[in-house]
Amino acid sequence: MPKTKRKAQAKTTGSISNRSSSSSSSSASDLAERAAEEALTAPVLNVAVKKRSLPGDAALDKSPQNVTLLVDEAKSKKWQNAFVRSVWTFVMVFLFLVILLAGHVWVVLLVGLLQTLVYKEVISIGISPAKEQKLPWNRFLHWYFLCTTNYFLYGETIIEYFKPYVVVDAFLMPLATHHRFISFSLYCLGLVLFVMNLKKGHYKFQFSQFGWTHMVLLVVVCQSHFIINNIFEGLIWFLVPASLVIWNDIAAYIFGFFFGRTPLIALSPKKTWEGFLGALFTTVAFGWFLSGFLAHYPYMYCPMRDFKTSSFSGVECVPNPAFVPTDYRLPPMLSGLLRYLMPFAGIPFRTLTLYPVQLHSLVLSIFASVVAPFGGFFASGFKRAVKIKDFGDTIPGHGGVTDRMDCQFLMGLFSYMYVKSFVGVGKLVTVGSLLQSAIQGLSSEEVKDLIGGLKDYLEGQGVDL
């Protein structure tokens, strides 16, 4: 081959190899930079798992066949755990009853406190302290969005239930009129703060935190808001659903403790069919008697109308038909069967008198026993996904606050929807709605004319003013 040809070929090869080495070095640097960013922005939960994992967490991945059921556990360990769990259950029930008797406001504050503790526990799973040192605004935004959401939700509730007081107050009226706009503006401010604090190398972590925060707000805060609405509708609509879940959990534990042999679901291997069915039947009976007992007390079924109400304030109201004793005619076949079985009673058994709320309690009891436990199973699956045993250790023998509230949120939401759909007898016209319409839709002179007309009407009816 001629020398000139060989030289040209060598030059060409050299230039190609240079470009190739340049390209490969560029690709290598790109890959290295990408890998560094991946390392810095590892998925949030993976970081949290390393931080929160317990020595015995390997047991969480055992198959159900390898899990020791409560009935088969060593007696000393089983009874020790049962004792600790029982003591703290009684402590919680006692404190709950004290707060319940103190008044509606204290119950609302209790739910707000529990909501905040649950939010804190769940949010902390996704927090990486090492990254937060470089992102000082990250934790602030978690709590900012919580406060903004609560401002909107609590504001909606107060405006709805205390409209007669809100619409006539010179300070509160503008806040109530523009409440939703103010709430949206506060949310937009949080969004702007989040975008302004995006930091190169942490994008994936920051956006995962943003999504994590909104998921917790939806699952925890929004659902607990409906529990608070139940309190405003009447303490019975808070107490009965909450008590049904508590009773069902205790009954499932007791039946599983003594008789549980058949695993119920792989996500929660210590749950058994024996515990599930035993809890179902006893919860239905418990709900029937509890609702009938509470229906005697106006403090329990009267809606909240002021912030001073307590069990000692002598609450009175026109009861909802659900709390008025009603006679139900029994089918002739059932009536005849009862007379045949109990001839000594001397009762015709033609009618049965009960409170309609007892019939509603059957629906709530079945939901608390069959569907609400899936809120707990959902939480169990989540804990397995992030490889933690409990959400916390706030309550000895029970775990974290979230471990006690996982079923309550779903139950509270269902109760609100059920009461609004089948129980609540809402008035189309209320004092609050009339005041709002008059103040917002009439001029000052027209309002004076309205007041004068109402005054004349009441005097004509013989009502003293």
Side-chain angles (χ1 to χ4, degrees):
M1 184 182 293
K3 284 185 179 181
T4 54
K5 225 175 191 178
R6 280 202 298 270
K7 282 182 182 179
Q9 188 175 2
K11 281 182 182 179
T12 305
T13 308
S15 65
I16 291 172
S17 64
N18 286 339
R19 284 198 302 270
S20 173
S21 62
S22 165
S23 171
S24 62
S25 65
S26 172
S27 300
S29 63
D30 288 345
L31 288 172
E33 186 178 345
R34 203 173 302 156
E37 185 175 351
E38 291 286 341
L40 283 170
T41 59
V44 181
L45 293 180
N46 290 345
V47 177
V49 166
K50 290 177 184 176
K51 179 186 72 171
R52 296 284 306 277
S53 291
L54 303 174
D57 281 348
L60 292 172
D61 294 325
K62 286 184 178 180
S63 61
Q65 290 81 3
N66 297 330
V67 173
T68 304
L69 298 174
L70 282 173
V71 73
D72 296 322
E73 280 187 356
K75 285 190 176 181
S76 58
K77 179 184 176 183
K78 181 168 72 170
W79 285 102
Q80 182 182 4
N81 292 340
F83 176 76
V84 173
R85 189 183 179 99
S86 300
V87 168
W88 280 96
T89 297
F90 282 116
V91 169
M92 288 189 290
V93 169
F94 174 76
L95 293 175
F96 176 71
L97 291 176
V98 170
I99 293 172
L100 189 71
L101 295 175
H104 295 69
V105 172
W106 293 100
V107 181
V108 170
L109 292 175
L110 171 65
V111 175
L113 174 63
L114 293 174
Q115 172 207 94
T116 305
L117 293 174
V118 172
Y119 182 83
K120 178 179 179 293
E121 286 181 354
V122 180
I123 281 292
S124 66
I125 294 174
I127 288 176
S128 170
K131 289 181 181 179
E132 288 216 327
Q133 290 176 359
K134 300 177 182 178
L135 303 167
W137 285 89
N138 192 59
R139 190 178 291 268
F140 168 79
L141 286 172
H142 286 314
W143 294 102
Y144 177 83
F145 282 118
L146 173 65
C147 294
T148 301
T149 305
N150 276 333
Y151 175 80
F152 170 71
L153 295 176
Y154 282 81
E156 289 283 309
T157 298
I158 291 172
I159 292 170
E160 175 67 24
Y161 288 95
F162 296 98
K163 195 172 287 183
Y165 307 100
V166 172
V167 297
V168 298
D169 189 278
F171 175 74
L172 295 177
M173 179 60 183
L175 293 176
T177 304
H178 307 295
H179 173 69
R180 294 181 181 179
F181 180 79
I182 295 170
S183 301
F184 180 71
S185 300
L186 290 172
Y187 178 81
C188 289
L189 176 60
L191 184 65
V192 170
L193 288 173
F194 170 76
V195 174
M196 289 179 64
N197 283 279
L198 287 173
K199 204 169 186 180
K200 187 176 180 181
H202 297 275
Y203 294 150
K204 186 180 290 185
F205 173 76
Q206 287 179 287
F207 275 102
S208 64
Q209 290 283 286
F210 186 80
W212 182 252
T213 300
H214 283 69
M215 186 275 289
V216 180
L217 289 173
L218 177 64
V219 174
V220 175
V221 180
C222 290
Q223 287 195 103
S224 64
H225 167 67
F226 291 103
I227 297 178
I228 291 171
N229 282 351
N230 290 338
I231 297 170
F232 282 90
E233 290 289 339
L235 280 174
I236 193 170
W237 301 119
F238 164 75
L239 180 58
V240 169
S243 300
L244 290 175
V245 170
I246 294 170
W247 178 275
N248 185 263
D249 187 58
I250 293 172
Y253 180 80
I254 292 174
F255 278 92
F257 187 90
F258 289 105
F259 311 110
R261 290 289 181 186
T262 313
L264 174 64
I265 187 169
L267 282 173
S268 192
K270 291 194 176 184
K271 303 287 185 183
T272 62
W273 275 104
E274 290 81 1
F276 179 79
L277 294 175
L280 169 62
F281 291 113
T282 57
T283 301
V284 169
F286 173 76
W288 178 273
F289 291 107
L290 177 65
S291 57
F293 172 73
L294 295 178
H296 290 84
Y297 301 99
Y299 175 66
M300 285 293 157
Y301 62 72
C302 286
M304 179 180 176
R305 288 293 174 258
D306 60 64
F307 292 100
K308 299 177 183 178
T309 306
S310 73
S311 58
F312 309 103
S313 57
V315 181
E316 294 293 338
C317 67
V318 177
N320 184 297
F323 307 108
V324 177
T326 306
D327 292 331
Y328 292 90
R329 189 169 184 82
L330 296 177
M333 182 179 292
L334 179 59
S335 178
L337 177 63
L338 290 173
R339 285 197 300 272
Y340 175 77
L341 293 175
M342 294 182 286
F344 52 85
I347 302 173
F349 292 111
R350 290 191 179 90
T351 60
L352 176 66
T353 303
L354 51 86
Y355 292 93
V357 69
Q358 292 179 282
L359 299 177
H360 295 303
S361 77
L362 297 177
V363 179
L364 296 176
S365 298
I366 292 171
F367 187 90
S369 303
V370 177
V371 182
F374 280 84
F377 300 149
F378 177 87
S380 296
F382 178 80
K383 287 187 285 188
R384 285 176 171 273
V386 299
K387 299 188 187 305
I388 58 174
K389 185 177 180 182
D390 292 312
F391 284 98
D393 54 2
T394 309
I395 311 170
H398 293 268
V401 178
T402 311
D403 295 290
R404 291 298 90 215
M405 293 294 294
D406 47 15
C407 303
Q408 293 286 2
F409 292 133
L410 186 60
M411 186 69 201
L413 175 57
F414 173 77
S415 302
Y416 176 81
M417 298 300 179
Y418 181 83
V419 170
K420 285 293 185 183
S421 300
F422 301 105
V423 183
V425 182
K427 295 180 181 178
L428 296 177
V429 179
T430 63
V431 174
S433 63
L434 279 176
L435 279 172
Q436 185 178 26
S437 299
I439 292 171
Q440 294 180 349
L442 301 177
S443 65
S444 299
E445 291 300 321
E446 290 172 324
V447 171
K448 288 180 181 178
D449 292 339
L450 175 64
I451 294 172
L454 289 172
K455 184 178 178 182
D456 293 340
Y457 167 77
L458 293 173
E459 287 176 351
Q461 297 294 317
V463 177
D464 294 330
L465 297 176

